[in-house]
Amino acid sequence: MSPTANSRTEVANASYSAANFASVFAVLSTFNSVIYTSITEPEELDDVVQCTEGPEKLRELALAVLAAATGRKSKAPLSAVHWPKLCSEVAGCTVFILKSLQVPESVADSLDAFVEQSPAVRVDVLYWLCEAALMDNTAIKEMVDRESNKMRKPTLANTANDSLMRLQPFAEISKQRYWLFGNKTRQLYVEGLSQRARGKLELLAQTPEEFQGAAEELNAQRNHAPKELAERLTEEIVPYLETQIKKRERVDRALQRQALAMANVHIYETRTRKRQRVNYTDDGPDALDYYN
């Protein structure tokens, strides 16, 4: 199965690990009550990693994840001064994770050294810190334990606040797991379960057309499980995405109407001022011409 070409996704995947990026986004989305960040969509995380609007948001995100990785309970944000010492502490406990990542030792020297790295290294550093948080953060462990103890399946895919959607795979068929990410959007990834493919995610769909195409390919298979997944994609996710698109279109139209109304008001006020220009310093009869 191959997704429809998406330029932004292709560029992103070429500049950093898509699997590590998806894992970072899943952790940020699921545990946003522990890792304090305003990121709610993959596109927002990509902008931060790429420093589209400057490095400040990347700095804030890195410090927030570092705070979670060290088990910091205070809501007060860390500062750049804390970066070297805390990074060294986390590195000492997670050497086995760092061995498989592109994380140079210089990253721990300063927050500036981290920001100066390539997007690939930035994603790997965030992935490393997220993994450390999952292992050692008490609040995150408690959240995972609570969800695991419920022993229930995820609710409908159009329930945006269901954290199980990211804690458990959306579906598992044969030797593949399907993961669903996104709040107001939906991205479907597939993960192979072989030793070589485990942990590597491939983007399958993120638009209604792509989800419909994926459903058609699943429906073409003989087994019952792929057909069930195809039915969920068609009946739950495609309608949800179409609804979100319509909402965005309504907002766009409202903004356009508002902009047009503001422009018309400006033109009206400008014309009115020209017509009502009065010389209040002239007491002669010509000063009353406007009222006659």
Side-chain angles (χ1 to χ4, degrees), residues 29-291:
S29 301
T30 305
F31 306 109
N32 54 14
S33 61
V34 179
I35 304 175
Y36 305 107
T37 173
S38 60
I39 294 173
T40 58
E41 300 296 341
E43 292 81 4
E44 295 173 356
L45 178 58
D46 180 65
D47 286 339
V48 172
V49 169
Q50 303 283 1
C51 291
T52 304
E53 300 177 358
E56 191 56 35
K57 289 185 178 180
L58 178 63
R59 291 171 176 272
E60 293 174 0
L61 175 60
L63 289 172
V65 181
L66 177 60
T70 56
R72 184 182 175 89
K73 295 181 180 180
S74 173
K75 292 186 178 181
L78 295 176
S79 68
V81 178
H82 300 105
W83 181 266
K85 180 181 178 181
L86 295 182
C87 270
S88 298
E89 291 179 2
V90 176
C93 303
T94 55
V95 176
F96 60 96
I97 298 177
L98 289 171
K99 286 182 179 179
S100 61
L101 300 173
Q102 300 181 44
V103 179
E105 293 182 4
S106 60
V107 164
D109 292 344
S110 67
L111 186 58
D112 288 336
F114 161 70
V115 172
E116 290 169 359
Q117 301 297 323
S118 66
V121 175
R122 294 169 188 164
V123 167
D124 278 5
V125 171
L126 293 174
Y127 172 81
W128 160 53
L129 295 176
C130 284
E131 289 296 302
L134 289 174
M135 289 188 300
D136 297 328
N137 189 286
T138 304
I140 289 178
K141 284 183 176 180
E142 290 175 353
M143 289 179 66
V144 173
D145 289 343
R146 283 198 301 269
E147 295 298 338
S148 298
N149 291 337
K150 290 179 182 178
M151 295 297 291
R152 62 179 178 85
K153 294 182 179 180
T155 55
L156 291 178
N158 58 5
T159 306
N161 293 326
D162 189 2
S163 60
L164 279 177
M165 189 169 65
R166 305 177 189 91
L167 290 174
Q168 298 178 357
F170 184 59
E172 186 169 330
I173 300 174
S174 185
K175 296 182 178 181
Q176 290 183 318
R177 283 180 183 155
Y178 294 85
W179 295 89
L180 192 66
F181 300 125
N183 287 330
K184 294 182 180 179
T185 61
R186 290 290 182 266
Q187 295 84 37
L188 182 68
Y189 287 83
V190 62
E191 173 193 10
L193 297 182
S194 65
Q195 187 172 0
R196 178 177 296 182
R198 186 181 293 273
K200 296 180 180 179
L201 302 182
E202 177 189 357
L203 178 64
L204 291 185
Q206 60 182 348
T207 66
E209 294 77 16
E210 290 174 355
F211 273 102
Q212 196 63 54
E216 290 174 359
E217 292 189 30
L218 288 166
N219 247 331
Q221 299 183 30
R222 294 183 177 180
N223 296 334
H224 183 64
K227 294 182 183 297
E228 283 187 344
L229 176 56
E231 184 177 353
R232 292 192 68 186
L233 296 182
T234 303
E235 296 184 359
E236 297 177 21
I237 299 184
V238 172
Y240 174 81
L241 288 174
E242 290 174 343
T243 301
Q244 293 301 315
I245 290 173
K246 290 178 181 178
K247 287 182 180 179
R248 286 197 296 270
E249 290 175 348
R250 286 198 297 269
V251 171
D252 289 341
R253 287 196 297 268
L255 291 174
Q256 289 173 1
R257 289 195 298 270
Q258 184 179 7
L260 182 59
M262 292 298 294
N264 289 338
V265 167
H266 175 73
I267 293 172
Y268 173 78
E269 288 179 346
T270 303
R271 290 174 177 170
T272 303
R273 289 192 191 99
K274 287 181 179 179
R275 289 181 55 206
Q276 294 183 352
R277 187 176 299 153
V278 180
N279 184 1
Y280 293 101
T281 61
D282 188 352
D283 294 329
D286 291 339
L288 301 176
D289 286 347
Y290 178 82
Y291 300 99

